[in-house]
Amino acid sequence: MSTILHIKSLPVRSFHFAQSLHKTPKHSVSFTTNNTPTKMTSFHRPNAVPSLQGAVSEAISLIQMSPPTWQSALLSNVVIFVLGSPILVPGLSLSGIAAAFLLGILTWRAFGPSGFLLVATYFVIGTAATKVKMAQKEAQGVAEKRKGRRGPRSVIGSSAAGCICAFLSIYGLGGEAFSRLWLLGFVASFCTKLSDTVSSEIGKAYGKTTYLVTTFKVVPRGTEGAVSVEGTFAGILASIILASIGCLMGKIDAPEAIICVIASQIANLGESIIGAALQEKEGFRWLNNDAVNVINISLGSILAILIQQVVLKN
């Protein structure tokens, strides 16, 4: 007697996957069992996190806000300082970068991107002048400390008058009638400081004969209050360049640019006299280089405003 086994295979289920695209990403899956369709639930991918493109567009819109806000000033400076770190690191100490960052926020908030660009131009030209013949200056003992890398006191000393003008502009002291004066004082302060830096550094590098401004006695390079023909002409050229940039960007007009150059040279002459006669002398130990810088740029800023009022208003 024989036994016959017959195994009947179970029906095979077939699967069908369908994907359709809509404006909002949507994935649907349908299953069929024995060719009988079964409706399944559709799943939507949530769009909770904004796309990268949207975030970038929003950031650009914020940076381009006019008039600038504190938020746009902060974001703009973060972007610029990150991208500009290869230039900033050799020219500033870590604390100097922090001080420059605060200066950048204040400048952007007060005078927008063009005001920031003016300060950036000052920094680039001033740093380049400091680096000229650095080895020779170091050998002669007249080079800036830390190979010219500026710390917070140097940054603040070089920008104090500009910061005051920025604050006065932001909070509208004097109303619309004075807003132009605060902007002029701001530009003049950086023209003055750039002229002073370039004349000093180029004079140390290329000055053939250096004179003490109070007595015209020949003195060694790097002496406080000393000037040279080469350095003086370089300083005048630097102030002309920065004032011209301010004019091209619409911050000042042509007559005001001339005023900035004149005021910067008068202020620098005054700074040289102070350096020769008083700086770090007995009874004036407090009058160090940073203090003299504050006096210098403040004088340049105030002179520009006074000249504008006397000359252009009459």
Side-chain angles (χ1 to χ4, degrees):
M1 184 177 183
S2 63
T3 304
I4 299 175
L5 296 177
H6 177 71
I7 301 175
K8 184 179 181 181
S9 60
L10 296 174
V12 178
R13 295 180 177 180
S14 61
F15 297 89
H16 173 68
F17 296 88
Q19 182 176 355
S20 60
L21 298 177
H22 302 276
K23 291 182 179 179
T24 302
K26 179 181 178 182
H27 300 275
S28 62
V29 182
S30 62
F31 298 85
T32 60
T33 305
N34 293 331
N35 297 323
T36 303
T38 303
K39 186 177 180 180
M40 302 298 291
T41 304
S42 297
F43 298 90
H44 294 265
R45 182 176 295 171
N47 193 22
V49 181
S51 66
L52 179 60
Q53 182 179 359
V56 171
S57 299
E58 185 176 347
I60 293 175
S61 298
L62 183 61
I63 290 173
Q64 293 176 337
M65 286 186 67
S66 182
T69 63
W70 288 112
Q71 292 87 346
S72 67
L74 175 61
L75 177 60
S76 302
N77 276 262
V78 168
V79 173
I80 292 170
F81 270 66
V82 170
L83 296 177
S85 57
I87 299 175
L88 292 169
V89 171
L92 294 167
S93 65
L94 185 60
S95 53
I97 291 175
F101 183 76
L102 295 177
L103 170 63
I105 292 176
L106 182 61
T107 300
W108 192 289
R109 173 63 179 83
F111 305 118
S114 55
F116 183 94
L117 180 60
L118 190 79
V119 178
T121 303
Y122 149 77
F123 173 77
V124 171
I125 297 176
T127 301
T130 303
K131 301 294 184 182
V132 171
K133 290 195 174 184
M134 178 61 75
Q136 172 187 301
K137 294 174 187 175
E138 288 178 332
Q140 295 174 348
V142 296
E144 292 290 324
K145 298 177 181 178
R146 302 183 299 274
K147 293 187 178 294
R149 294 184 71 193
R150 292 174 172 83
R153 288 191 302 177
S154 178
V155 173
I156 295 171
S158 301
S159 63
C163 287
I164 292 173
C165 289
F167 270 116
L168 294 174
S169 178
I170 290 170
Y171 294 104
L173 187 66
E176 188 67 26
F178 282 80
S179 61
R180 186 79 183 180
L181 295 179
W182 307 143
L183 181 54
L184 175 63
F186 175 83
V187 176
S189 71
F190 285 101
C191 285
T192 301
K193 183 52 191 167
L194 181 62
S195 179
D196 174 53
T197 299
V198 171
S199 62
S200 176
E201 295 300 330
I202 298 302
K204 292 175 187 177
Y206 297 105
K208 294 180 179 179
T209 307
T210 309
Y211 304 91
L212 197 63
V213 72
T214 52
T215 63
F216 290 100
K217 177 183 177 181
V218 177
V219 292
R221 294 175 181 175
T223 302
E224 293 295 343
V227 297
S228 67
V229 173
E230 296 83 358
T232 300
F233 275 107
I236 294 173
L237 179 60
S239 65
I240 291 174
I241 290 173
L242 197 62
S244 299
I245 292 174
C247 185
L248 291 173
M249 291 189 302
K251 290 302 177 187
I252 54 177
D253 56 28
E256 289 173 336
I258 295 173
I259 288 174
C260 285
V261 174
I262 294 172
S264 69
Q265 299 315 302
I266 297 174
N268 285 340
L269 177 61
E271 189 257 1
S272 296
I273 293 173
I274 292 173
L278 302 175
Q279 188 170 348
E280 297 185 349
K281 300 292 193 299
E282 189 65 35
F284 292 92
R285 299 295 182 187
W286 58 272
L287 197 60
N288 57 21
N289 193 55
D290 295 327
V292 172
N293 280 338
V294 173
I295 296 172
N296 180 33
I297 61 175
S298 299
L299 183 59
S301 182
I302 293 170
L303 280 173
I305 292 174
L306 291 177
I307 294 172
Q308 195 265 7
Q309 289 293 288
V310 172
V311 176
L312 298 186
K313 290 296 182 181
N314 295 329

